[in-house]
Amino acid sequence: MATSACDLLLTNAVVVTMDPQFTVHRSGSVAVRGDAIVAVGPEAAAFDAGETVDCRGRVIMPGLVNAHTHVPMTLLRGLADDLRLDVWLMGYVMPVERAFVNPDFVRLGTSLGCAEMIRSGVTCFADMYYFEDAIAETTAAAGLRALCAQTVLRFPTPDATSFEESLARARDFIGRWKGHPLIVAAPAPHAPYTCTPEILRACAELAVEFDVPLHIHLSETALEVEDSRRVNGMPVIPWVKKHGLFDAKVLAAHCVHVDDGEMRALKNANAGVAHNPSSNLKLAAGVAPAARMLALGVNVGIGTDGAASNNDLDMFEELRLAALLAKGTSGDPTAIPARLALAMATRIGASALHLGHLTGSIEAGKRADLVVLDLDRLHNVPAFHHDANGVYGQIVYAAKSTDVVDVMCNGRWLMRDRRLLTLDEAGLRRAAQEAASRVDAFLGTREVSVLQKLVAVGGAVEQESFEAQVKARVPSAEPVLAVLNSDHVTIVRSSHYHQFDTYWSFDDPEQGWLRYREDEFLDAAGAVTGARSRLTLTGRTREDHFGAVLLSRSRYYAPATHSTRFYREYFRPAAERIVEKDRRRWLVAFRGVEFYVHLDRLIVPAQEGFFVEVKSRTWSRRDARDKAAVIADLLALFGTRPDDTISDGYADLAAGEGR
Ligand SMILES: [Zn+2]
């Protein structure tokens, strides 16, 4: 028999092929020619090799497939931990990304992430981020295989001012990388809740046009699914299906909250799923029903997600967690056995990325993506051979990423004897720390200013105000109403509210007060007709007293688009006061001057009687003094006198209430 030639022959290894039959060669060989595996096992031994490497005592297995990550986010590792998803994402990650993410940032983060992944035995990953072109370039230079997906969102991103621009960027990117040996470029509509149906459809059409996969986050949190039910009348999976998403070859990250019907829909669409154990645990999203999805035939791979929510890219940790979580959440220790977990991190994961024809197992015809493990270390001896599956348990339950000694991708060595061959590790460590110092400085200035933090999460409009104001107590509403209905005053307009105020103060009084106000508008019968909420940051108030109080202060208004809980966790105030009141409000003319008259009944803190507040915008001390005299006359008609013990906003009365 004529011998065939190959470039490289790896011999004497335990070859864990992860092929569909789970073939293991006890003392096996792998023959590599160019970028491909040409023979495995006994056939390989017959090859005439340019170079032979003796792998005695070692395990050769396919390179791991990290099915979901945002690789440049390695630079945000440890940026903000132990926060709720919205505070973490909208309060920290997105503002920092808006300020720092540019092509240089993603190149550095990608190099750092690639170095970390090579060290832990990853040869292929699925990415989703901004400036994906720079990520693809950097990844190809590092020698790794990747599905690089360009993010498309309905709002501006670090690399596009509009959805149309990011879609055009994605199209250009995909066209440019078509046919590359390592990189598959794809579109990534970020998630249904950050996209519109039009974006989902446009991205699916783009993926179909170029015959590339589509990467998206689906059903990550229970809240996302609840919102979808409420707003769209159906859960996430049927909704994206309705908008044509599954016309594309989908890779869906998370799928934590999906029911059986949705899992079947994923299977029927041949969508791959990326299960992200650490990220879902850390952000308390839940645990994906990975075992059930696998049982229904869905290709479920394993991902690390970005380093900001993990905080590392260690696939050994993830595949162990995938096996353990399935057991712990089901009470069934046979759920996701080690062999299946390793398949998820290799062959099944590659299929989830729609790259199963290229990578994920050690089989003739596939690309030479493989790793060599040293399982002869203290934490991994002895080895038993009575059960053929023993090696999977060793790899999944005992091995560590540091047991990876050699890594090859596409026939090229990326690491030998734990030395990286394509990346400068010391240089990356230094550059990453420099980048972190710049982010530290940015957050450092922001964290000391409530205003800067307010601007970071949604903008604030400044309004300087000067007003003459008086507060007084009245035992009952009747005298006030009687005067307002008399000939003494002319009512310009009136309204009625139920107001819920949360006041936050800070250790540094110079920061002022932050108020979260929710107003319910009430009709004449007291029924709620509408609502609004807003944030007001009131700078330190300067006061002058002359009968009325002249208040001068700067105020910043911002729409309150998040919950009180979000702002409380984000701003971390030193104290909180709650005020709830029923407010009737009139704009009146009295002796030729316009005033606002507020008649307040305090519900929290509960107070006897009513409070009257009379105020008018003013512009000078002289004007304020003149108005003070008129206000005093109006209060006299109401049968009361100014009471300057009541603070603006009643927050002082609420001391000790709330938290
Ligand atoms: Zn993600």
Side-chain angles (χ1 to χ4, degrees):
M1 187 177 107
T3 54
S4 308
C6 67
D7 299 321
L8 177 71
L9 190 65
L10 306 172
T11 60
N12 293 320
V14 176
V15 182
V16 178
T17 66
M18 300 310 290
D19 67 12
Q21 296 75 41
F22 292 96
T23 308
V24 175
H25 301 284
R26 281 274 144 225
S27 180
S29 305
V30 179
V32 175
R33 188 192 299 138
D35 60 6
I37 295 165
V38 288
V40 185
E43 297 150 44
F47 271 65
D48 198 6
E51 185 194 355
T52 301
V53 175
D54 188 350
C55 298
R56 192 173 305 273
R58 296 199 161 160
V59 167
I60 297 177
M61 69 170 191
L64 298 174
V65 177
N66 182 351
H68 177 67
T69 191
H70 312 279
V71 68
M73 292 183 87
T74 44
L75 286 180
L76 304 182
R77 192 196 321 269
L79 173 77
D81 295 322
D82 306 323
L83 298 172
R84 262 177 247 273
L85 179 66
D86 55 359
V87 177
W88 173 79
L89 188 66
M90 272 137 359
Y92 289 87
V93 173
M94 286 185 163
V96 169
E97 285 183 336
R98 277 194 291 272
F100 288 92
V101 172
N102 57 36
D104 286 341
F105 179 97
V106 306
R107 273 187 209 106
L108 176 59
T110 300
S111 294
L112 182 64
C114 285
E116 185 185 357
M117 283 194 278
I118 293 168
R119 280 210 162 287
S120 60
V122 171
T123 54
C124 177
F125 64 91
D127 191 63
M128 176 200 292
Y129 208 59
Y130 313 107
F131 299 107
E132 202 65 40
D133 198 48
I135 296 170
E137 255 171 43
T138 311
T139 301
L144 282 175
R145 188 179 308 288
L147 172 66
C148 291
Q150 168 67 34
T151 300
V152 183
L153 286 171
R154 69 178 143 85
F155 33 80
T157 59
D159 61 2
T161 56
S162 67
F163 133 64
E164 288 83 359
E165 192 185 333
S166 63
L167 198 68
R169 185 181 267 277
R171 165 178 290 277
D172 179 56
F173 166 61
I174 294 165
R176 207 134 21 86
W177 287 86
K178 192 73 189 161
H180 191 275
L182 289 171
I183 304 298
V184 176
H190 173 267
Y193 61 91
T194 51
C195 291
T196 61
E198 296 69 40
I199 296 176
L200 297 180
R201 196 173 289 282
C203 286
E205 284 168 2
L206 184 61
V208 170
E209 181 186 335
F210 287 89
D211 189 28
V212 292
L214 176 152
H215 195 177
I216 188 168
H217 295 107
L218 292 181
S219 298
E220 180 174 2
T221 63
L223 181 68
E224 179 190 344
V225 178
E226 270 168 42
D227 287 348
S228 179
R229 281 185 192 280
R230 200 184 64 245
V231 178
N232 307 319
M234 61 185 86
V236 176
I237 304 297
W239 193 73
V240 298
K241 184 180 171 196
K242 181 179 155 189
H243 294 290
L245 194 80
F246 292 137
D247 292 348
K249 300 185 285 189
V250 169
L251 168 61
H254 304 305
C255 296
V256 175
H257 300 276
V258 288
D259 63 24
D260 256 38
E262 293 177 277
M263 294 184 220
R264 289 200 168 86
L266 289 165
K267 161 67 186 161
N268 292 337
N270 193 32
V273 168
H275 175 36
N276 301 280
S278 288
S279 171
N280 294 158
L281 286 171
K282 187 162 184 260
L283 292 168
V287 177
R292 181 67 186 152
M293 286 192 270
L294 288 160
L296 290 173
V298 180
N299 288 322
V300 182
I302 300 175
T304 58
D305 210 344
S309 64
N310 184 306
N311 296 358
D312 58 36
L313 306 181
D314 186 339
M315 278 293 290
F316 277 80
E317 185 182 17
E318 298 306 317
L319 81 106
R320 181 173 310 130
L321 273 175
L324 296 182
L325 277 173
K327 301 168 194 345
T329 53
S330 66
D332 175 6
T334 70
I336 306 196
R339 193 176 82 171
L340 179 56
L342 190 60
M344 292 167 76
T346 54
R347 176 170 39 83
I348 299 175
S351 297
L353 269 60
H354 305 275
L355 301 177
H357 56 295
L358 294 176
T359 190
S361 58
I362 298 184
E363 294 179 79
K366 282 206 182 179
R367 301 289 171 78
D369 297 355
L370 53 87
V371 304
V372 180
L373 297 176
D374 178 3
L375 297 189
D376 197 28
R377 302 201 173 158
L378 205 62
H379 60 266
N380 215 332
V381 293
F384 293 97
H385 299 296
H386 67 276
D387 178 354
N389 287 332
V391 70
Y392 300 109
Q394 264 193 301
I395 293 168
V396 173
Y397 298 126
K400 301 175 191 306
S401 53
T402 47
D403 298 338
V404 176
V405 285
D406 305 305
V407 175
M408 171 180 282
C409 183
N410 213 45
R412 176 187 184 193
W413 287 114
L414 307 184
M415 182 168 81
R416 291 304 301 274
D417 273 329
R418 294 205 53 75
R419 200 168 59 79
L420 294 178
L421 302 178
T422 56
L423 292 154
D424 165 21
E425 198 175 316
L428 286 174
R429 278 205 299 263
R430 215 169 26 245
Q433 192 49 55
E434 283 164 16
S437 303
R438 288 192 289 275
V439 174
D440 263 341
F442 166 78
L443 285 177
T445 50
R446 193 192 82 170
E447 291 293 301
V448 298
S449 160
V450 175
L451 177 59
Q452 288 301 316
K453 288 187 79 168
L454 187 62
V455 168
V457 288
V461 177
E462 184 178 10
Q463 203 179 82
E464 192 86 28
S465 77
F466 298 91
E467 55 198 23
Q469 188 197 91
V470 166
K471 273 193 164 65
R473 288 177 188 261
V474 286
S476 80
E478 274 69 45
V480 177
L481 296 175
V483 171
L484 292 176
N485 289 323
S486 73
D487 293 342
H488 293 292
V489 300
T490 308
I491 295 175
V492 180
R493 60 175 184 264
S494 68
S495 50
H496 190 184
Y497 307 89
H498 194 155
Q499 297 185 329
F500 304 86
D501 290 331
T502 304
Y503 286 89
W504 289 305
S505 58
F506 302 88
D507 285 328
D508 172 8
E510 287 297 327
Q511 300 289 338
W513 282 90
L514 185 64
R515 184 187 69 194
Y516 181 97
R517 167 166 287 180
E518 290 172 275
D519 287 342
E520 285 178 351
F521 306 115
L522 305 176
D523 65 13
V528 177
T529 59
R532 73 168 169 200
S533 47
R534 63 176 172 171
L535 283 168
T536 309
L537 175 64
T538 305
R540 274 202 105 172
T541 305
R542 326 255 167 233
E543 300 182 2
D544 280 325
H545 293 259
F546 23 75
V549 178
L550 172 67
L551 298 174
S552 65
R553 56 193 164 189
S554 59
R555 274 182 162 160
Y556 297 85
Y557 294 99
T561 48
H562 305 292
S563 64
T564 39
R565 196 265 308 149
F566 173 91
Y567 293 113
R568 182 184 299 122
E569 292 178 17
Y570 175 60
F571 286 106
R572 300 187 211 188
E576 174 172 306
R577 310 246 170 104
I578 306 285
V579 175
E580 182 185 343
K581 63 180 177 288
D582 180 276
R583 165 167 285 183
R584 299 191 61 185
R585 181 176 214 243
W586 294 268
L587 177 61
V588 303
F590 175 63
R591 299 214 331 233
V593 184
E594 282 200 344
F595 295 102
Y596 278 104
V597 177
H598 297 156
L599 183 62
D600 297 334
R601 186 171 60 78
L602 260 65
I603 302 162
V604 178
Q607 297 280 308
E608 291 289 316
F610 288 78
F611 294 85
V612 176
E613 185 178 78
V614 181
K615 62 177 170 186
S616 181
R617 291 293 293 273
T618 185
W619 49 88
S620 70
R621 280 156 186 279
R622 187 195 176 88
D623 180 61
R625 196 170 292 125
D626 292 348
K627 281 183 172 161
V630 183
I631 292 174
D633 291 350
L634 184 58
L635 286 189
L637 285 176
F638 293 156
T640 186
R641 304 177 45 227
D643 180 346
D644 54 19
T645 65
I646 312 161
S647 76
D648 186 37
Y650 308 104
D652 283 356
L653 292 176
E657 307 237 355
R659 289 188 326 144

